[in-house]
Amino acid sequence: MKFYHSFEQSERGDSFVEYTSDGATARLDFISDSAVRVAVYKTGAKMQNTFNVNPASNLSHTGRKRIDTADFTLITPSVTDGVFALPCGVKIKVNQSNFLLTYYKGDSVLFADRAPIAYNLEHEFGGGVYHFVSRAEGEHIYGCGDKGGGIDKSGRAFRIETTDCMGYNAQSTDPLYKHIPFYICENSVGSYGIFYDTSCTSYLDFGKEVDNYYEPYKYFKSEDNCLVYYVFFGTKLEIVQQFSALCGKQILPPKWSFDYCASTMAYTDAENSSEEFDGFLDMIHKTGLSCSGFYLSSGYTSIGNNRYVFNWNTDKFPNPAEFVGKFADEGIHIIPNIKPAFLIDHPMYSDLADRGLFIKNPDGTPYITQFWDGGGSYLDFTNPEAFDFWKTQVTEKLLDLGIDATWNDNNEFDIKDDEAVCANGEKACTLRPTLTYLMVLASYEAQVEKRPELRPFLSTRSGSSAVRRLAQTWSGDNRSEFADLKYCHNIGLTMSISSLMFYGHDLGGFTGDMPSRELLLRWIQHGIFEPRFTIHSWNKDGSATMPWSYPDIIPAVQKLFEQRRSLVPYLYSTAYKCVRDDVPMNAPLFLYYDEEKLKDDVHAMMVGRDLLVPFAFDENMHGVNVYLPKGDIWYYDEVKYVGGQYADAPCEPTDVVPCFVRGGSVIPMDGKLVVYPVEGGKFTSEFFDDDGITNAYKNGDCVLLEIAVNCTDTTVEVSFENKGSTPHTPQFELCAADSRQLIIR
């Protein structure tokens, strides 16, 4: 009977329990001390494989069965009167009427499925799958990938879908480029996280909708045929770590990628591309700015006004290998733009269509959709022949020229027609983030097979949490506006706590007018603290936003680039910990501190665990007023501050950005390790370095200092041990704000 379904326990194992009712199955898997998986589906339903969940970090071509339990640390909960108790202290009560779950922390309800019905068991809510859960007054919501506006998403609703949204409004546009149906909810009882494992278009409503017949709720809806979701418990940081580990480990980017990597559409779109690139190298020499990469925009593939992936325009680039070699001689890696769709007049289109390598209509003909300047067809990466074709093209057209990186762009696979089908028999519209993952995987495999000794470097604009195993990302085609600078700050931090921890922005803004002097400098000030440090533009007047766009501010730009250079040892060491421990490189302050004033928009972020960096996001600002969280002491400009107060710091657009250093840290700086002590007691720190390009560090061929510091009234005593096999003699220095004696043991 609709709206009333009595579930009976049908199977029970050490780490799972299963219930059935009216042709529906509900299953609970206890996958760790602090996480469970819930699946609700029509009994016998065929589920798509998942590429999002991969705790073993396998780079699979076929994905993983949606309710597989391999590689989980399965546990057997204690059970009393139908209540399952997890080792983390959370208890789960199962109400077998409509399969309603209630989660307790202590004696209080952390959250619960919405009564009297929370699931779309017999089309009570129409098509698709639904999950309704309780909504508490004053709760905070974080996550969902690259969502704009305020960092707290409570009271809002979002579509989870990948979209090519060039020129989006960072405050209000939705959806953007990523498909990550994951969020963290914090209420007065505690925090929990939910990840809905699907690649289908989905919706998350965090309280925008109300209904007279139900208590306040939030809900998830998907066009999938089953509901599989994970629930995580712990602190907000622990939830981020659990979700990230569930999706698989990131790869450590090469060290060169933390240097400035330039880009612009203007150079490759220009008829005199060779002159523009020669001029770029000349300006790098004249200004003395450090640069280790150049994102090569798609104009290098042009025929007329259109862009044709894997086609080199030899009028602009008469000798591509020579061009790549010229930049390599300057220590600059070319990162070429590649797109997964072929225009119908692409020189290779007919052959690919005849071979059946495109996503298809039901009659077997290529599915054609709008792409850039005309109709085109997406390569079907579920087809092994198409996957291998892509690898061959990446190798022969790019890697064989000396290129060792790829920029995987325009890969949202913007197909909404449910009649378009893939070679694996699935509808393309339900596989869009999976197709993105497979495209990036094909590029990744080509790079690894070509240069197995190197860590590959890839960037992708779109994708799900699965792409974290392969590539970095960025916030896409933003605008040259102060408002976008402010809200891209939130987008970046939201991506970071949604597992995409190696991220950045198109500094200066991608589309619109050339940014003003002040706006360009403010963007650079923000970018020097992010993993991806790239200025990129497609300005309306055809100009290129470059560090030297305004000659009179070049000294200020040089000062900021030097600040970035000095930060690279810290950022790179932090990146190692990010990969190893699933801890974000950049994080909102609320991830580490629970004060209420930190739980919404804050114009600052944690860089690693030890730097608190405030920013100026409005015009005509000359300084910042930043709150320093309780529980730590903070150092800035030879002054020590006790947490729990506001501090003022100058922040001119033409000067370096103020950084507050957390007491209890050791920061690499100018070739030394600077100790920022606590008032009294002990703390530990770490420093990592390696060759920057290979995986030898995994076998211990690296510097991995474990540093112990003991602070007394009169001394700061430092001892260390190098756990890596690369010899290293560190030089320690005490920060200028502390007058105690530094002793090295």
Side-chain angles (χ1 to χ4, degrees), residues 5-9 19-21 24-26 40 96-99 121:
H5 304 268
S6 179
F7 281 81
E8 299 294 333
Q9 183 174 310
Y19 304 85
T20 56
S21 172
T25 297
V40 181
Q96 293 181 204
S97 175
N98 284 337
F99 186 69
L121 297 170

Side-chain angles (χ1 to χ4, degrees), residues 89-254:
V90 169
K91 295 180 180 179
I92 306 170
K93 181 178 180 180
V94 180
N95 181 344
Q96 293 181 204
S97 175
N98 284 337
F99 186 69
L100 299 177
L101 302 176
T102 303
Y103 301 84
Y104 294 88
K105 184 177 179 182
D107 295 326
S108 300
V109 174
L110 179 61
F111 80 105
D113 286 343
R114 186 193 69 178
I117 187 166
Y119 303 97
N120 198 27
L121 297 170
E122 200 175 347
H123 303 287
E124 288 92 347
F125 306 110
V129 296
Y130 282 79
H131 182 212
F132 295 87
V133 299
S134 59
R135 175 165 52 88
E137 184 176 353
E139 69 182 20
H140 302 280
I141 303 287
Y142 307 111
C144 299
D146 58 344
K147 297 304 184 185
I151 200 164
D152 184 349
K153 310 303 182 190
S154 58
R156 300 173 63 194
F158 301 93
R159 191 160 94 239
I160 311 296
E161 184 177 62
T162 59
T163 304
D164 186 341
C165 47
M166 201 274 282
Y168 67 88
N169 182 314
Q171 182 177 9
S172 60
T173 300
D174 181 71
L176 299 181
Y177 302 94
K178 312 298 191 295
H179 185 287
I180 305 183
F182 161 77
Y183 68 88
I184 301 168
C185 180
E186 181 182 28
N187 58 37
S188 60
V189 176
S191 296
Y192 60 92
I194 299 182
F195 169 58
Y196 294 96
D197 184 17
T198 182
S199 64
C200 294
T201 294
S202 305
Y203 306 84
L204 275 165
D205 186 311
F206 297 122
K208 187 173 183 180
E209 177 181 297
V210 296
D211 190 313
N212 178 58
Y213 298 102
Y214 301 97
E215 293 296 320
Y217 59 86
K218 47 188 179 284
Y219 76 89
F220 168 83
K221 177 188 176 184
S222 172
E223 297 171 7
D224 211 333
N225 71 333
C226 61
L227 181 69
V228 180
Y229 65 94
Y230 293 78
V231 187
F232 310 98
F233 308 104
T235 66
K236 295 184 289 294
L237 176 60
E238 289 167 344
I239 290 166
V240 170
Q241 290 177 290
Q242 291 179 76
F243 170 56
S244 300
L246 179 83
C247 300
K249 286 289 184 185
Q250 300 170 113
I251 55 170
L252 181 64

Side-chain angles (χ1 to χ4, degrees), residues 341-419:
F342 290 72
L343 295 175
I344 57 176
D345 60 348
H346 191 291
M348 288 189 277
Y349 186 90
S350 294
D351 177 60
L352 296 174
D354 291 342
R355 292 163 62 186
L357 302 193
F358 293 125
I359 293 167
K360 297 182 180 66
N361 294 306
D363 63 3
T365 59
Y367 182 83
I368 298 173
T369 187
Q370 184 67 25
F371 189 81
W372 274 80
D373 302 303
S377 297
Y378 285 101
L379 207 63
D380 180 1
F381 286 89
T382 72
N383 182 337
E385 188 180 348
F387 187 96
D388 290 341
F389 163 80
W390 183 268
K391 286 176 60 176
T392 299
Q393 292 299 307
V394 168
T395 301
E396 294 179 352
K397 302 294 175 59
L398 302 173
L399 306 183
D400 285 351
L401 302 177
I403 289 169
D404 60 0
T406 57
W407 171 12
N408 298 262
D409 198 14
N410 296 100
N411 53 358
E412 290 75 30
F413 289 85
D414 198 359
I415 298 174
K416 299 176 183 176
D417 188 339
D418 66 3
E419 292 189 345

Side-chain angles (χ1 to χ4, degrees), residues 257-362:
S257 68
F258 290 90
D259 195 3
Y260 168 57
C261 293
S263 190
T264 179
M265 294 283 288
Y267 287 2
T268 55
D269 282 356
E271 292 301 320
N272 62 334
S273 284
S274 294
E275 294 177 23
E276 296 282 13
F277 280 99
D278 287 344
F280 173 83
L281 293 178
D282 287 343
M283 288 304 297
I284 287 292
H285 294 151
K286 288 178 182 177
T287 58
L289 299 179
S290 180
C291 177
S292 292
F294 199 105
Y295 285 90
L296 191 67
S297 290
S298 55
Y300 80 95
T301 69
S302 63
I303 301 174
N305 293 324
N306 292 346
R307 300 155 204 276
Y308 301 83
V309 63
F310 299 129
N311 172 74
W312 279 91
N313 182 321
T314 52
D315 292 330
K316 297 180 181 181
F317 300 89
N319 189 328
E322 183 179 288
F323 164 72
V324 172
K326 182 186 293 187
F327 271 69
D329 290 343
E330 300 290 341
I332 301 175
H333 300 252
I334 293 296
I335 312 166
N337 183 286
I338 47 179
K339 308 179 190 299
F342 290 72
L343 295 175
I344 57 176
D345 60 348
H346 191 291
M348 288 189 277
Y349 186 90
S350 294
D351 177 60
L352 296 174
D354 291 342
R355 292 163 62 186
L357 302 193
F358 293 125
I359 293 167
K360 297 182 180 66
N361 294 306

